[in-house]
Amino acid sequence: MSILAHHLTYDHLQQLREARDELLELIDGELLVTPSPSPRHQFLSQRLYDQIKPAIINAELGWVLLAPLDVFFADGTILQPDVIVILSEREDQIGEATSEGPPNLVMEILSLSTSTSDHGRKRDNYARYAVPEYWIIDPFAQSVTILSGPDEGRYRNERHARLTATSDTLPQISVDLELLFAPTPGR
């Protein structure tokens, strides 16, 4: 992942996307450029969706959305979490092109190119903009870090799951990590 330092806005981001074929995000006006996700990353994303869907969508509590979808926090901070959960009480955040404001839960799947950002700048920004819960999915360690309780730009609670990951803020969400990290084609 590379970071280009300029104070960019959402309009700049949209112009750049017309000319480039990479995943582009902004944090505090700086451009983050990430390679396309690997097949393993995509399998994990789909498996997360499949396990979360019954608890949220089938129960008619809200929506589970997959990247790429811009989550607009501020004009210079637009991120694309891998998995986004938005409950019905926040449905007015879902616009035609973006989701505006903090989702109820965001999940990022680590890759070699995103690990530093997912553990650092993204984590800090999700807490800063009061995302109630943030999961960091680590396919290398086959674990999930669950962060919750954002307060003054930091998460107060952090725990690690290795067998089953259950949400702190949405206890109906539970992910079987053995199923999540099961072998995938090409691996």
Side-chain angles (χ1 to χ4, degrees), residues 45 49 57 63-67 69 81-86 94 99:
S45 181
Y49 178 85
I57 296 173
W63 297 269
V64 180
L65 305 166
L66 301 176
L69 174 68
D82 293 314
V83 179
I84 304 161
V85 176
I86 299 175
I94 302 171
S99 173

Side-chain angles (χ1 to χ4, degrees), residues 11-29:
D11 289 337
H12 293 123
L13 182 65
Q14 293 302 82
Q15 291 171 6
L16 288 168
R17 286 180 174 162
E18 290 177 14
R20 300 173 74 155
D21 191 27
E22 300 152 305
L23 189 144
L24 304 176
E25 299 172 288
L26 291 178
I27 293 181
D28 296 326

Side-chain angles (χ1 to χ4, degrees), residues 33-178:
V33 181
T34 307
S36 296
S38 68
R40 172 105 170 118
H41 182 282
Q42 295 300 80
F43 281 116
L44 291 173
S45 181
Q46 185 62 52
R47 287 176 179 172
L48 282 166
Y49 178 85
D50 290 344
Q51 289 195 51
I52 296 169
K53 178 184 173 189
I56 301 299
I57 296 173
N58 295 358
E60 298 182 356
L61 297 177
W63 297 269
V64 180
L65 305 166
L66 301 176
L69 174 68
D70 287 333
V71 177
F72 188 98
F73 292 104
D75 196 41
T77 302
I78 297 95
L79 299 173
Q80 291 187 346
D82 293 314
V83 179
I84 304 161
V85 176
I86 299 175
L87 297 183
S88 298
E89 71 262 8
R90 295 184 184 200
E91 78 176 87
D92 60 331
Q93 291 180 196
I94 302 171
E96 188 170 322
T98 67
S99 173
E100 296 194 18
N104 296 87
L105 169 64
V106 296
M107 299 177 177
E108 295 283 5
I109 301 166
L110 295 182
S111 69
L112 294 176
S113 64
T114 66
S115 182
T116 300
S117 177
D118 291 342
H119 279 291
R121 296 187 78 194
K122 283 190 174 185
R123 173 187 175 145
D124 293 346
N125 274 277
Y126 291 143
R128 174 180 165 196
Y129 289 104
V131 174
E133 189 167 338
Y134 171 40
W135 287 23
I136 301 172
I137 315 299
D138 187 339
F140 310 106
Q142 296 194 346
S143 67
V144 175
T145 300
I146 300 167
L147 301 142
S148 63
D151 184 35
E152 296 183 15
R154 298 278 182 241
Y155 283 107
R156 288 179 285 131
N157 307 311
E158 178 176 339
R159 64 185 175 82
H160 304 276
R162 292 202 171 274
L163 299 174
T164 302
T166 302
S167 171
D168 288 342
T169 60
L170 303 168
Q172 62 271 43
I173 294 178
S174 184
V175 174
D176 180 326
L177 300 187
E178 186 177 345

